[in-house]
Amino acid sequence: MVKRKHVALWLIIGALFASLGVTAYLAYRSIHAHGGSLWVLLQNGVLTAVSLYLLLILILLVVRYGVVILCSFMDHLESIQRGPAKYTEAELNSLPMVSLVVPAYNEGLVIQPAIRSLLQMDYPNYEIIVIDDGSTDDTYEKALVVAGESVDIPIRVITKRNAGKAEALNTGMSLAKGEFILNMDGDSKLSSNTLKECVRHFSDPRVAAVAGNVKVINRSNIWSRIQALEYVEGLAMARKAQSYARVVNIIPGPLGMFRKSVLQEVGGYDHRTFAEDCDLTLKLLVNGWHIIYEARAVAWVETPTSLLNLLKQRYRWTRGILQATAKHKWALWHPRKGGVNFYILWYMIFEGIIWPFSNLLSNVFFIYVSLQYGLIVLLFYWWVQLTLLDLIAATYCCIIEDEDPAIIPYAVLFRLVYINIIDIAKVLATIEEWRGLSMTWGKLDREGSL
Amino acid sequence: MDLISILATVILTTTIATVLTGFVAYSAFKLRDKRRPKKHAQHVHQADGDQPIFFSRYVPEQSGRHDTTNINTP
């Protein structure tokens, strides 16, 4: 049976190549007979193929926007129906303990406001564990100062040799006393309702984790404002849509709450990738757990304000996500066994590899046809279609996230400048990952905006 | 020249400029990354075979409800 299947496949491939060969031969004879140029034919063939490919990508993109916005809206309706978390006095007294784990490496500039924000949590039963991952600055000492200020909330400040964020989070997990663990970044500030909003989702025993909302706090220049819009769009559309299906594909580093027993069951974080959050999320999904996005639980983060720092961050994210994807790549080719991960991984491949390559290809294609054939108007219409999609998405996201509408016009700059530069970095980072070049974490310089 | 042609020219110019900027900025980022001292760089497999490094940290006396711990303290 298997052999027959293979024979049929080879026959189809052979037939395809044969028909291509016959077509090429006929084309060559026709050109030869009319005194034409093979180069022009080749050029036309390539341009036609690229045009058809871009048309297909555009259709996929429009479908993707449509589906994502629809699912995101459904999740939004669910969220409205659920309303903000409210507990009775009796319920408040019986809420489970949550351990907040704050890994920090050279976060001296922001660690104090980050921990102080945790002391303001509107939740009766929690502890804070700060893991200093062998910082070379005064992170540890500064964390100790805030720990000394706390009267009601137990804070443990722990220092260990530098071994990466994944190890720091695993250390925090092993020391946690709570039934649930909230992992965050040392440069994040959480909204006071975070614990109440997240913990209620665990009443469903199938839920392993809740991903929080991440917002940009330092909207000081064009780069950070565009990123603010990018975060809002990414979370309010894709993350919300995934949440509707309970398959959020990345629990963000700045805010994710987990069932401790499940974290232990899957072996915690793996330090072999640079996107430990993405890798852990995929592990949870493989094991059949549900992951939800909670928009009301907000982590405020600093984003890079210079282009080079932004590229440094995106370089790590791109390679990290590719590493995590590669770890689970078997699911790409086994839809039955892979289950939901089959779709999630293909979605990540589309977002992380296919779309950046296609965007770069489209730019090169439109620049070429504009300069070579004067078809500049094609570029205009391509750009207008994408920018309209971005503007619609930005408006929708700002409405449902109750965000500042002043960031909507940045969708134009996002499409015109930002995404072209970021996609080039993604393409080059993908090539480096494919070549297996070594890399480092790429720690970002903090501004102290928290 | 009509409005669409003018806008198209602006978009074409910007696209060419951003594509070039993308490659130049990426090269600059890689160059800066290479020139950065590697002493404190966190490598992805660092934890596999390295020996533990013990820091001699100042640990204040424990008081109140907060607990300060040095995980490397024997």
Side-chain angles (χ1 to χ4, degrees), chain A residues 292-320:
Chain A
I292 287 177
Y293 166 71
E294 176 52 66
R296 291 190 183 94
V298 181
W300 295 90
V301 297
E302 265 192 14
T303 51
T305 49
S306 76
L307 179 57
L308 294 197
N309 275 340
L310 176 63
L311 292 184
K312 187 200 273 187
Q313 184 196 52
R314 297 313 161 96
Y315 175 81
R316 177 167 60 80
W317 286 6
T318 304
R319 288 195 62 176

PDB file of all heavy atoms in Angstrom, chain A residues 292-320:
ATOM      1  N   ILE A 292      -5.049  30.714  27.820  1.00  0.00           N
ATOM      2  CA  ILE A 292      -5.995  31.823  27.625  1.00  0.00           C
ATOM      3  C   ILE A 292      -5.255  33.153  27.675  1.00  0.00           C
ATOM      4  O   ILE A 292      -4.217  33.278  28.333  1.00  0.00           O
ATOM      5  CB  ILE A 292      -7.090  31.751  28.727  1.00  0.00           C
ATOM      6  CG1 ILE A 292      -8.010  30.581  28.412  1.00  0.00           C
ATOM      7  CG2 ILE A 292      -7.867  33.040  28.852  1.00  0.00           C
ATOM      8  CD1 ILE A 292      -9.086  30.346  29.423  1.00  0.00           C
ATOM      9  N   TYR A 293      -5.811  34.136  26.973  1.00  0.00           N
ATOM     10  CA  TYR A 293      -5.266  35.492  27.023  1.00  0.00           C
ATOM     11  C   TYR A 293      -6.211  36.367  27.846  1.00  0.00           C
ATOM     12  O   TYR A 293      -7.423  36.334  27.633  1.00  0.00           O
ATOM     13  CB  TYR A 293      -5.132  36.034  25.597  1.00  0.00           C
ATOM     14  CG  TYR A 293      -4.899  37.522  25.510  1.00  0.00           C
ATOM     15  CD1 TYR A 293      -3.690  38.079  25.900  1.00  0.00           C
ATOM     16  CD2 TYR A 293      -5.899  38.375  25.014  1.00  0.00           C
ATOM     17  CE1 TYR A 293      -3.479  39.453  25.812  1.00  0.00           C
ATOM     18  CE2 TYR A 293      -5.695  39.730  24.921  1.00  0.00           C
ATOM     19  CZ  TYR A 293      -4.486  40.270  25.319  1.00  0.00           C
ATOM     20  OH  TYR A 293      -4.279  41.620  25.234  1.00  0.00           O
ATOM     21  N   GLU A 294      -5.665  37.114  28.788  1.00  0.00           N
ATOM     22  CA  GLU A 294      -6.491  37.996  29.621  1.00  0.00           C
ATOM     23  C   GLU A 294      -6.054  39.448  29.373  1.00  0.00           C
ATOM     24  O   GLU A 294      -4.981  39.871  29.818  1.00  0.00           O
ATOM     25  CB  GLU A 294      -6.334  37.634  31.102  1.00  0.00           C
ATOM     26  CG  GLU A 294      -7.075  38.547  32.055  1.00  0.00           C
ATOM     27  CD  GLU A 294      -8.551  38.727  31.703  1.00  0.00           C
ATOM     28  OE1 GLU A 294      -9.302  37.758  31.786  1.00  0.00           O
ATOM     29  OE2 GLU A 294      -8.944  39.860  31.334  1.00  0.00           O
ATOM     30  N   ALA A 295      -6.906  40.183  28.654  1.00  0.00           N
ATOM     31  CA  ALA A 295      -6.539  41.548  28.256  1.00  0.00           C
ATOM     32  C   ALA A 295      -6.534  42.531  29.426  1.00  0.00           C
ATOM     33  O   ALA A 295      -5.852  43.560  29.380  1.00  0.00           O
ATOM     34  CB  ALA A 295      -7.493  42.039  27.182  1.00  0.00           C
ATOM     35  N   ARG A 296      -7.283  42.195  30.504  1.00  0.00           N
ATOM     36  CA  ARG A 296      -7.372  43.143  31.627  1.00  0.00           C
ATOM     37  C   ARG A 296      -6.142  43.101  32.527  1.00  0.00           C
ATOM     38  O   ARG A 296      -5.918  44.022  33.306  1.00  0.00           O
ATOM     39  CB  ARG A 296      -8.625  42.858  32.460  1.00  0.00           C
ATOM     40  CG  ARG A 296      -9.911  43.203  31.732  1.00  0.00           C
ATOM     41  CD  ARG A 296     -11.106  43.140  32.670  1.00  0.00           C
ATOM     42  NE  ARG A 296     -12.339  43.395  31.926  1.00  0.00           N
ATOM     43  CZ  ARG A 296     -13.106  42.446  31.411  1.00  0.00           C
ATOM     44  NH1 ARG A 296     -12.780  41.184  31.562  1.00  0.00           N
ATOM     45  NH2 ARG A 296     -14.206  42.753  30.752  1.00  0.00           N
ATOM     46  N   ALA A 297      -5.374  42.014  32.427  1.00  0.00           N
ATOM     47  CA  ALA A 297      -4.125  41.930  33.205  1.00  0.00           C
ATOM     48  C   ALA A 297      -3.012  42.531  32.347  1.00  0.00           C
ATOM     49  O   ALA A 297      -2.674  41.995  31.298  1.00  0.00           O
ATOM     50  CB  ALA A 297      -3.817  40.475  33.524  1.00  0.00           C
ATOM     51  N   VAL A 298      -2.481  43.656  32.799  1.00  0.00           N
ATOM     52  CA  VAL A 298      -1.548  44.402  31.936  1.00  0.00           C
ATOM     53  C   VAL A 298      -0.144  44.465  32.532  1.00  0.00           C
ATOM     54  O   VAL A 298       0.029  44.726  33.721  1.00  0.00           O
ATOM     55  CB  VAL A 298      -2.060  45.851  31.704  1.00  0.00           C
ATOM     56  CG1 VAL A 298      -1.117  46.617  30.787  1.00  0.00           C
ATOM     57  CG2 VAL A 298      -3.460  45.847  31.129  1.00  0.00           C
ATOM     58  N   ALA A 299       0.848  44.219  31.667  1.00  0.00           N
ATOM     59  CA  ALA A 299       2.254  44.448  32.046  1.00  0.00           C
ATOM     60  C   ALA A 299       2.764  45.609  31.198  1.00  0.00           C
ATOM     61  O   ALA A 299       2.634  45.588  29.973  1.00  0.00           O
ATOM     62  CB  ALA A 299       3.080  43.203  31.774  1.00  0.00           C
ATOM     63  N   TRP A 300       3.294  46.612  31.874  1.00  0.00           N
ATOM     64  CA  TRP A 300       3.859  47.761  31.149  1.00  0.00           C
ATOM     65  C   TRP A 300       5.354  47.523  30.977  1.00  0.00           C
ATOM     66  O   TRP A 300       6.041  47.219  31.951  1.00  0.00           O
ATOM     67  CB  TRP A 300       3.615  49.052  31.928  1.00  0.00           C
ATOM     68  CG  TRP A 300       2.158  49.386  32.041  1.00  0.00           C
ATOM     69  CD1 TRP A 300       1.307  48.997  33.018  1.00  0.00           C
ATOM     70  CD2 TRP A 300       1.385  50.151  31.108  1.00  0.00           C
ATOM     71  NE1 TRP A 300       0.038  49.465  32.769  1.00  0.00           N
ATOM     72  CE2 TRP A 300       0.053  50.180  31.610  1.00  0.00           C
ATOM     73  CE3 TRP A 300       1.668  50.811  29.908  1.00  0.00           C
ATOM     74  CZ2 TRP A 300      -0.971  50.845  30.947  1.00  0.00           C
ATOM     75  CZ3 TRP A 300       0.646  51.470  29.253  1.00  0.00           C
ATOM     76  CH2 TRP A 300      -0.660  51.487  29.774  1.00  0.00           C
ATOM     77  N   VAL A 301       5.817  47.644  29.756  1.00  0.00           N
ATOM     78  CA  VAL A 301       7.239  47.363  29.504  1.00  0.00           C
ATOM     79  C   VAL A 301       7.906  48.525  28.752  1.00  0.00           C
ATOM     80  O   VAL A 301       7.244  49.309  28.076  1.00  0.00           O
ATOM     81  CB  VAL A 301       7.438  46.075  28.668  1.00  0.00           C
ATOM     82  CG1 VAL A 301       6.928  44.861  29.407  1.00  0.00           C
ATOM     83  CG2 VAL A 301       6.764  46.179  27.305  1.00  0.00           C
ATOM     84  N   GLU A 302       9.221  48.570  28.884  1.00  0.00           N
ATOM     85  CA  GLU A 302      10.017  49.524  28.098  1.00  0.00           C
ATOM     86  C   GLU A 302      10.340  48.867  26.765  1.00  0.00           C
ATOM     87  O   GLU A 302      10.700  47.688  26.738  1.00  0.00           O
ATOM     88  CB  GLU A 302      11.346  49.790  28.810  1.00  0.00           C
ATOM     89  CG  GLU A 302      11.352  50.984  29.687  1.00  0.00           C
ATOM     90  CD  GLU A 302      12.774  51.344  30.121  1.00  0.00           C
ATOM     91  OE1 GLU A 302      13.748  50.837  29.555  1.00  0.00           O
ATOM     92  OE2 GLU A 302      12.874  52.151  31.046  1.00  0.00           O
ATOM     93  N   THR A 303      10.248  49.629  25.701  1.00  0.00           N
ATOM     94  CA  THR A 303      10.660  49.088  24.397  1.00  0.00           C
ATOM     95  C   THR A 303      11.883  49.857  23.905  1.00  0.00           C
ATOM     96  O   THR A 303      12.140  50.984  24.352  1.00  0.00           O
ATOM     97  CB  THR A 303       9.540  49.224  23.349  1.00  0.00           C
ATOM     98  OG1 THR A 303       9.102  50.576  23.378  1.00  0.00           O
ATOM     99  CG2 THR A 303       8.411  48.285  23.607  1.00  0.00           C
ATOM    100  N   PRO A 304      12.640  49.284  22.974  1.00  0.00           N
ATOM    101  CA  PRO A 304      13.819  49.989  22.458  1.00  0.00           C
ATOM    102  C   PRO A 304      13.411  51.292  21.762  1.00  0.00           C
ATOM    103  O   PRO A 304      12.411  51.328  21.043  1.00  0.00           O
ATOM    104  CB  PRO A 304      14.399  49.004  21.445  1.00  0.00           C
ATOM    105  CG  PRO A 304      13.799  47.693  21.762  1.00  0.00           C
ATOM    106  CD  PRO A 304      12.483  47.951  22.392  1.00  0.00           C
ATOM    107  N   THR A 305      14.178  52.325  21.999  1.00  0.00           N
ATOM    108  CA  THR A 305      13.865  53.611  21.365  1.00  0.00           C
ATOM    109  C   THR A 305      14.840  53.948  20.236  1.00  0.00           C
ATOM    110  O   THR A 305      14.707  54.979  19.596  1.00  0.00           O
ATOM    111  CB  THR A 305      13.884  54.757  22.405  1.00  0.00           C
ATOM    112  OG1 THR A 305      15.093  54.636  23.157  1.00  0.00           O
ATOM    113  CG2 THR A 305      12.704  54.702  23.331  1.00  0.00           C
ATOM    114  N   SER A 306      15.833  53.075  20.039  1.00  0.00           N
ATOM    115  CA  SER A 306      16.732  53.310  18.903  1.00  0.00           C
ATOM    116  C   SER A 306      16.641  52.129  17.951  1.00  0.00           C
ATOM    117  O   SER A 306      16.319  51.004  18.368  1.00  0.00           O
ATOM    118  CB  SER A 306      18.166  53.489  19.388  1.00  0.00           C
ATOM    119  OG  SER A 306      18.721  52.245  19.731  1.00  0.00           O
ATOM    120  N   LEU A 307      16.944  52.396  16.691  1.00  0.00           N
ATOM    121  CA  LEU A 307      16.789  51.359  15.670  1.00  0.00           C
ATOM    122  C   LEU A 307      17.687  50.154  15.932  1.00  0.00           C
ATOM    123  O   LEU A 307      17.243  49.005  15.814  1.00  0.00           O
ATOM    124  CB  LEU A 307      17.092  51.960  14.283  1.00  0.00           C
ATOM    125  CG  LEU A 307      16.993  50.998  13.104  1.00  0.00           C
ATOM    126  CD1 LEU A 307      15.624  50.354  13.027  1.00  0.00           C
ATOM    127  CD2 LEU A 307      17.298  51.711  11.794  1.00  0.00           C
ATOM    128  N   LEU A 308      18.932  50.403  16.334  1.00  0.00           N
ATOM    129  CA  LEU A 308      19.853  49.286  16.527  1.00  0.00           C
ATOM    130  C   LEU A 308      19.422  48.399  17.695  1.00  0.00           C
ATOM    131  O   LEU A 308      19.521  47.177  17.621  1.00  0.00           O
ATOM    132  CB  LEU A 308      21.284  49.782  16.725  1.00  0.00           C
ATOM    133  CG  LEU A 308      21.944  50.466  15.520  1.00  0.00           C
ATOM    134  CD1 LEU A 308      23.454  50.538  15.693  1.00  0.00           C
ATOM    135  CD2 LEU A 308      21.630  49.774  14.213  1.00  0.00           C
ATOM    136  N   ASN A 309      18.945  49.009  18.770  1.00  0.00           N
ATOM    137  CA  ASN A 309      18.456  48.214  19.900  1.00  0.00           C
ATOM    138  C   ASN A 309      17.204  47.421  19.518  1.00  0.00           C
ATOM    139  O   ASN A 309      17.004  46.290  19.966  1.00  0.00           O
ATOM    140  CB  ASN A 309      18.137  49.111  21.093  1.00  0.00           C
ATOM    141  CG  ASN A 309      19.378  49.375  21.928  1.00  0.00           C
ATOM    142  OD1 ASN A 309      20.355  48.633  21.854  1.00  0.00           O
ATOM    143  ND2 ASN A 309      19.365  50.452  22.678  1.00  0.00           N
ATOM    144  N   LEU A 310      16.383  48.041  18.692  1.00  0.00           N
ATOM    145  CA  LEU A 310      15.174  47.368  18.220  1.00  0.00           C
ATOM    146  C   LEU A 310      15.556  46.136  17.392  1.00  0.00           C
ATOM    147  O   LEU A 310      14.984  45.049  17.562  1.00  0.00           O
ATOM    148  CB  LEU A 310      14.354  48.346  17.373  1.00  0.00           C
ATOM    149  CG  LEU A 310      13.094  47.807  16.702  1.00  0.00           C
ATOM    150  CD1 LEU A 310      12.085  47.346  17.731  1.00  0.00           C
ATOM    151  CD2 LEU A 310      12.471  48.867  15.811  1.00  0.00           C
ATOM    152  N   LEU A 311      16.545  46.300  16.525  1.00  0.00           N
ATOM    153  CA  LEU A 311      16.992  45.171  15.700  1.00  0.00           C
ATOM    154  C   LEU A 311      17.587  44.070  16.568  1.00  0.00           C
ATOM    155  O   LEU A 311      17.389  42.880  16.314  1.00  0.00           O
ATOM    156  CB  LEU A 311      18.017  45.633  14.656  1.00  0.00           C
ATOM    157  CG  LEU A 311      17.478  46.548  13.556  1.00  0.00           C
ATOM    158  CD1 LEU A 311      18.563  46.854  12.545  1.00  0.00           C
ATOM    159  CD2 LEU A 311      16.285  45.945  12.855  1.00  0.00           C
ATOM    160  N   LYS A 312      18.305  44.498  17.608  1.00  0.00           N
ATOM    161  CA  LYS A 312      18.902  43.516  18.523  1.00  0.00           C
ATOM    162  C   LYS A 312      17.808  42.659  19.166  1.00  0.00           C
ATOM    163  O   LYS A 312      17.916  41.437  19.248  1.00  0.00           O
ATOM    164  CB  LYS A 312      19.671  44.276  19.619  1.00  0.00           C
ATOM    165  CG  LYS A 312      20.473  43.377  20.537  1.00  0.00           C
ATOM    166  CD  LYS A 312      20.790  44.079  21.831  1.00  0.00           C
ATOM    167  CE  LYS A 312      22.041  44.885  21.792  1.00  0.00           C
ATOM    168  NZ  LYS A 312      22.404  45.413  23.141  1.00  0.00           N
ATOM    169  N   GLN A 313      16.725  43.326  19.593  1.00  0.00           N
ATOM    170  CA  GLN A 313      15.608  42.610  20.218  1.00  0.00           C
ATOM    171  C   GLN A 313      14.922  41.669  19.220  1.00  0.00           C
ATOM    172  O   GLN A 313      14.686  40.502  19.517  1.00  0.00           O
ATOM    173  CB  GLN A 313      14.592  43.638  20.737  1.00  0.00           C
ATOM    174  CG  GLN A 313      13.448  43.043  21.490  1.00  0.00           C
ATOM    175  CD  GLN A 313      12.305  44.035  21.637  1.00  0.00           C
ATOM    176  OE1 GLN A 313      11.837  44.618  20.648  1.00  0.00           O
ATOM    177  NE2 GLN A 313      11.855  44.241  22.851  1.00  0.00           N
ATOM    178  N   ARG A 314      14.654  42.186  18.007  1.00  0.00           N
ATOM    179  CA  ARG A 314      13.925  41.390  17.028  1.00  0.00           C
ATOM    180  C   ARG A 314      14.770  40.221  16.511  1.00  0.00           C
ATOM    181  O   ARG A 314      14.268  39.170  16.150  1.00  0.00           O
ATOM    182  CB  ARG A 314      13.444  42.256  15.864  1.00  0.00           C
ATOM    183  CG  ARG A 314      12.460  43.307  16.296  1.00  0.00           C
ATOM    184  CD  ARG A 314      11.386  42.701  17.189  1.00  0.00           C
ATOM    185  NE  ARG A 314      10.680  43.679  17.975  1.00  0.00           N
ATOM    186  CZ  ARG A 314       9.517  44.212  17.630  1.00  0.00           C
ATOM    187  NH1 ARG A 314       8.937  43.852  16.506  1.00  0.00           N
ATOM    188  NH2 ARG A 314       8.929  45.088  18.417  1.00  0.00           N
ATOM    189  N   TYR A 315      16.066  40.444  16.464  1.00  0.00           N
ATOM    190  CA  TYR A 315      16.997  39.381  16.048  1.00  0.00           C
ATOM    191  C   TYR A 315      16.864  38.199  17.011  1.00  0.00           C
ATOM    192  O   TYR A 315      16.734  37.053  16.606  1.00  0.00           O
ATOM    193  CB  TYR A 315      18.414  39.952  16.070  1.00  0.00           C
ATOM    194  CG  TYR A 315      19.512  38.951  15.775  1.00  0.00           C
ATOM    195  CD1 TYR A 315      19.809  38.595  14.470  1.00  0.00           C
ATOM    196  CD2 TYR A 315      20.239  38.358  16.807  1.00  0.00           C
ATOM    197  CE1 TYR A 315      20.812  37.679  14.197  1.00  0.00           C
ATOM    198  CE2 TYR A 315      21.245  37.448  16.541  1.00  0.00           C
ATOM    199  CZ  TYR A 315      21.520  37.117  15.235  1.00  0.00           C
ATOM    200  OH  TYR A 315      22.511  36.210  14.972  1.00  0.00           O
ATOM    201  N   ARG A 316      16.878  38.495  18.310  1.00  0.00           N
ATOM    202  CA  ARG A 316      16.771  37.431  19.317  1.00  0.00           C
ATOM    203  C   ARG A 316      15.394  36.758  19.251  1.00  0.00           C
ATOM    204  O   ARG A 316      15.287  35.542  19.302  1.00  0.00           O
ATOM    205  CB  ARG A 316      17.024  38.005  20.716  1.00  0.00           C
ATOM    206  CG  ARG A 316      16.860  36.983  21.825  1.00  0.00           C
ATOM    207  CD  ARG A 316      17.412  37.477  23.139  1.00  0.00           C
ATOM    208  NE  ARG A 316      16.786  38.692  23.621  1.00  0.00           N
ATOM    209  CZ  ARG A 316      15.625  38.751  24.244  1.00  0.00           C
ATOM    210  NH1 ARG A 316      14.934  37.658  24.451  1.00  0.00           N
ATOM    211  NH2 ARG A 316      15.133  39.901  24.675  1.00  0.00           N
ATOM    212  N   TRP A 317      14.363  37.560  19.129  1.00  0.00           N
ATOM    213  CA  TRP A 317      13.013  36.995  19.063  1.00  0.00           C
ATOM    214  C   TRP A 317      12.887  36.057  17.854  1.00  0.00           C
ATOM    215  O   TRP A 317      12.365  34.956  17.976  1.00  0.00           O
ATOM    216  CB  TRP A 317      11.965  38.113  18.934  1.00  0.00           C
ATOM    217  CG  TRP A 317      11.724  38.881  20.193  1.00  0.00           C
ATOM    218  CD1 TRP A 317      12.413  38.763  21.374  1.00  0.00           C
ATOM    219  CD2 TRP A 317      10.738  39.888  20.403  1.00  0.00           C
ATOM    220  NE1 TRP A 317      11.917  39.659  22.289  1.00  0.00           N
ATOM    221  CE2 TRP A 317      10.893  40.361  21.729  1.00  0.00           C
ATOM    222  CE3 TRP A 317       9.754  40.466  19.605  1.00  0.00           C
ATOM    223  CZ2 TRP A 317      10.087  41.364  22.269  1.00  0.00           C
ATOM    224  CZ3 TRP A 317       8.952  41.466  20.146  1.00  0.00           C
ATOM    225  CH2 TRP A 317       9.116  41.905  21.464  1.00  0.00           C
ATOM    226  N   THR A 318      13.362  36.550  16.698  1.00  0.00           N
ATOM    227  CA  THR A 318      13.213  35.747  15.476  1.00  0.00           C
ATOM    228  C   THR A 318      13.937  34.418  15.614  1.00  0.00           C
ATOM    229  O   THR A 318      13.358  33.350  15.377  1.00  0.00           O
ATOM    230  CB  THR A 318      13.778  36.508  14.256  1.00  0.00           C
ATOM    231  OG1 THR A 318      13.119  37.753  14.170  1.00  0.00           O
ATOM    232  CG2 THR A 318      13.563  35.739  12.965  1.00  0.00           C
ATOM    233  N   ARG A 319      15.186  34.471  16.029  1.00  0.00           N
ATOM    234  CA  ARG A 319      15.962  33.236  16.133  1.00  0.00           C
ATOM    235  C   ARG A 319      15.411  32.340  17.242  1.00  0.00           C
ATOM    236  O   ARG A 319      15.365  31.124  17.106  1.00  0.00           O
ATOM    237  CB  ARG A 319      17.442  33.550  16.338  1.00  0.00           C
ATOM    238  CG  ARG A 319      18.074  34.108  15.049  1.00  0.00           C
ATOM    239  CD  ARG A 319      19.572  34.106  15.076  1.00  0.00           C
ATOM    240  NE  ARG A 319      20.132  32.771  15.188  1.00  0.00           N
ATOM    241  CZ  ARG A 319      21.432  32.519  15.152  1.00  0.00           C
ATOM    242  NH1 ARG A 319      22.288  33.516  14.987  1.00  0.00           N
ATOM    243  NH2 ARG A 319      21.890  31.295  15.268  1.00  0.00           N
ATOM    244  N   GLY A 320      14.986  32.958  18.333  1.00  0.00           N
ATOM    245  CA  GLY A 320      14.427  32.174  19.442  1.00  0.00           C
ATOM    246  C   GLY A 320      13.170  31.435  19.020  1.00  0.00           C
ATOM    247  O   GLY A 320      12.999  30.251  19.308  1.00  0.00           O
TER     248      GLY A 320
END
